[in-house]
Amino acid sequence: MASPVTMVTPVITGELKSKIDRVWDAFWSGGISNPLEVIEQITYLLFIRRLDDLQTLAERKARTIGTNVIENPMFLPGQENLRWSRFKNTAPEVMYNTVATQVFGYLRGLGDQLGGDGSTYSEHMRDARFTIPTPALLSKVVDMVDGIPMADRDTNGDLYEYLLSKIASAGVNGQFRTPRHIIKLMVEMMAPKPDDEICDPACGTAGFLVAASEYVRETHAEALLDATQRQHFHRSMFHGFDFDSTMLRIGSMNLLLHGIESPDIRYRDSLSEGASAEAARYTLILANPPFAGSLDYEATAKDLQRVVKTKKTELLFVALFLKLLQPGGRAAVIVPDGVLFGSSKAHKDLRRTLVEDQRLDAVVKLPSGVFRPYAGVSTAILFFTRTDSGGTDNVWFYDVKADGFSLDDKRNPVADDDLPDVLARWSSRLVEPVETTWSELTRDRTEQSFCVPKADIV
């Protein structure tokens, strides 16, 4: 198993950042104040620019082999004026007219033009709407997008992460992102491998999938030199579901800009449709599902009700994760404290399933300020393995008191941080045989981390 790495994320330069900030302010003063809408409009333009880059590559390839036939063209004869490299140099009014009336029409019909290629990008562009209000603002945004070095995966990814952090500062629509350092901890504890099939059934902006892809690139670079592995990495390793089409567009663009060519990001109301088609398909689930209260029994998939009879979304999501995992598959998921301590029959049934029928590996308790300023909920990360035959022996508990940021609404960086210790103690299992000599087994329950035998939990 690969040793834990620290993922170092390059930060976008001050110049690019201030350019984004200026465009952001221009959107706001232009009357678009919903950060999701701003990001969505920038996403469309990034996508249009990428299509032009792909066409340019295909043309270069055709010239190199001495043919006029362009393989998989993005633009057909007569569509030259829709290309980024053409319209970006036109006068603001002309550009505005071209983009609003023709380019967006082209985007919406892209799937059909490419022979219904079924790529998630063409799927998500079907209901693309252009809402930039003025030629002057469009011209400003096109200039910014044109100044981004698209060939650099790190810059692309960082740019998009910076845009997404703007959602965080606005806490829009009750949608908030899992803090990046918590995602990173969960990914490093699960240590994804190049042959994993990874799923996030409530993927939002796809933060877990992006972090998993970066981890695999950094710890298994040599595996990705193999053509079959590389194909799997780009086309069948990363799966995400969401029922918000804006999030699907933003999430799939996030993966694209982090260098994943064709991730499987799909519309799906994970709890209300039967999971049977996807049952036992994935080897790793990473998720922070919404804890949105309760659903009607009628609206909930029957196969999940068989695992746990409840209307509570957080319990149904854990049942869904078990359903989606292959036997031997692992999960790291964030749940509200109620899942650990709730006293209803459904809560107890679910805990019994995790401990008796599957293998509960660890519970990492997070401080309640982790999701501020949007929510002060108390949460924990559950780590479990689907076995269908039990196997819970000792469950490892860690009570995180500090995560490197102040636990108030400001969330300023602070010196206290338990997360490196969480990872180090968890990873020591790999060196020491867990059953007998793992040092965590002998720690007292008054310590910050300790193990509890299954009998005590039962």
Side-chain angles (χ1 to χ4, degrees), residues 351-359 387 389-392 454 458:
R351 289 198 293 268
R352 186 177 300 116
T353 296
L354 284 174
V355 173
E356 298 279 356
D357 305 338
Q358 313 300 339
R359 191 176 80 222
T387 61
S389 59
T392 304
K454 176 186 167 185
V458 170

Side-chain angles (χ1 to χ4, degrees), residues 108-130:
R108 286 190 287 270
L110 192 62
D112 301 328
Q113 173 167 318
L114 300 177
D117 76 333
S119 88
T120 52
Y121 302 109
S122 55
E123 263 319 285
H124 301 325
M125 297 296 162
R126 265 195 189 139
D127 51 353
R129 286 178 322 116
F130 178 67

Side-chain angles (χ1 to χ4, degrees), residues 119-412:
S119 88
T120 52
Y121 302 109
S122 55
E123 263 319 285
H124 301 325
M125 297 296 162
R126 265 195 189 139
D127 51 353
R129 286 178 322 116
F130 178 67
T131 61
I132 294 176
T134 64
L137 178 55
L138 176 65
S139 177
K140 218 178 242 185
V141 185
V142 165
D143 276 353
M144 179 202 79
V145 171
D146 200 55
I148 298 164
M150 291 282 271
D152 183 341
R153 193 184 87 243
D154 288 336
T155 307
N156 282 330
D158 289 345
L159 160 95
Y160 215 63
E161 287 294 334
Y162 182 59
L163 279 174
L164 292 176
S165 72
K166 303 273 196 182
I167 300 182
S169 57
V172 66
N173 296 356
Q175 279 167 336
F176 50 88
R177 303 170 62 229
T178 311
R180 210 166 165 186
H181 59 295
I182 301 295
I183 289 178
K184 182 171 171 289
L185 172 74
M186 291 165 68
V187 168
E188 291 188 349
M189 285 175 73
M190 297 314 281
K193 300 184 290 298
D195 55 354
D196 270 321
E197 290 255 347
I198 305 172
C199 179
D200 179 352
C203 67
T205 61
F208 280 105
L209 299 176
V210 163
S213 75
E214 296 292 292
Y215 180 90
V216 171
R217 272 188 207 276
E218 290 183 25
T219 52
H220 298 282
E222 71 302 327
L224 297 182
L225 299 174
D226 173 77
T228 311
Q229 285 281 20
R230 202 165 54 246
Q231 172 86 350
H232 171 60
F233 182 82
H234 284 295
R235 303 194 171 269
S236 54
M237 186 170 188
F238 303 102
H239 308 263
F241 310 134
D242 209 287
F243 56 80
D244 178 329
S245 55
T246 302
M247 281 297 168
L248 289 170
R249 268 192 288 278
I250 289 173
S252 63
M253 184 58 60
N254 196 9
L255 283 158
L256 178 69
L257 292 175
H258 279 88
I260 309 296
E261 288 165 14
S262 189
D264 170 31
I265 304 290
R266 273 178 288 150
Y267 176 88
R268 184 160 149 192
D269 185 346
S270 289
L271 294 181
S272 68
E273 293 166 30
S276 12
E278 307 277 330
R281 184 171 168 199
Y282 305 106
T283 60
L284 177 57
I285 285 179
L286 295 158
N288 177 13
F291 319 137
S294 57
L295 300 173
D296 292 340
Y297 283 128
E298 292 68 51
T300 311
K302 299 293 169 276
D303 46 1
L304 298 184
Q305 291 289 352
R306 281 195 288 275
V307 182
V308 59
K309 182 83 170 138
T310 183
K311 298 177 180 184
K312 284 206 162 299
T313 52
E314 59 267 31
L315 300 182
L316 290 165
F317 265 109
V318 177
L320 174 71
F321 302 149
L322 283 171
K323 186 109 191 148
L324 295 176
L325 284 174
Q326 293 176 13
R330 301 128 43 235
V333 300
I334 296 175
V335 297
D337 270 7
V339 172
L340 307 180
F341 306 117
S343 55
S344 77
K345 182 178 185 310
H347 282 89
K348 289 176 180 169
D349 286 348
L350 186 69
R351 289 198 293 268
R352 186 177 300 116
T353 296
L354 284 174
V355 173
E356 298 279 356
D357 305 338
Q358 313 300 339
R359 191 176 80 222
L360 180 59
D361 298 305
V363 178
V364 174
K365 176 89 181 64
L366 297 174
S368 60
V370 163
F371 290 102
R372 286 182 180 276
Y374 336 102
V377 288
S378 288
T379 56
I381 312 169
L382 289 186
F383 295 84
F384 55 87
T385 303
R386 178 177 174 179
T387 61
D388 295 340
S389 59
T392 304
D393 197 1
N394 283 286
V395 179
W396 186 64
F397 286 83
Y398 195 113
D399 184 11
V400 177
K401 301 273 202 292
D403 70 335
F405 295 87
S406 62
L407 295 170
D408 53 14
D409 283 358
K410 292 204 172 63
R411 296 291 276 146
N412 292 322

Side-chain angles (χ1 to χ4, degrees), residues 51-98:
L51 292 174
D52 191 29
D53 290 347
L54 290 172
Q55 178 87 352
T56 305
L57 281 174
E59 289 167 348
R60 201 173 294 150
K61 187 177 168 187
R63 278 199 302 276
T64 308
I65 57 176
T67 173
N68 295 325
V69 181
I70 293 169
E71 233 177 85
N72 306 321
M74 294 294 150
F75 299 90
L76 303 174
Q79 292 181 329
E80 286 297 303
N81 64 322
L82 309 184
R83 293 180 64 170
W84 179 271
S85 50
R86 304 291 191 280
F87 70 67
K88 74 173 185 181
N89 298 317
T90 58
E93 281 74 16
V94 175
M95 187 199 302
Y96 190 83
N97 192 37
T98 304

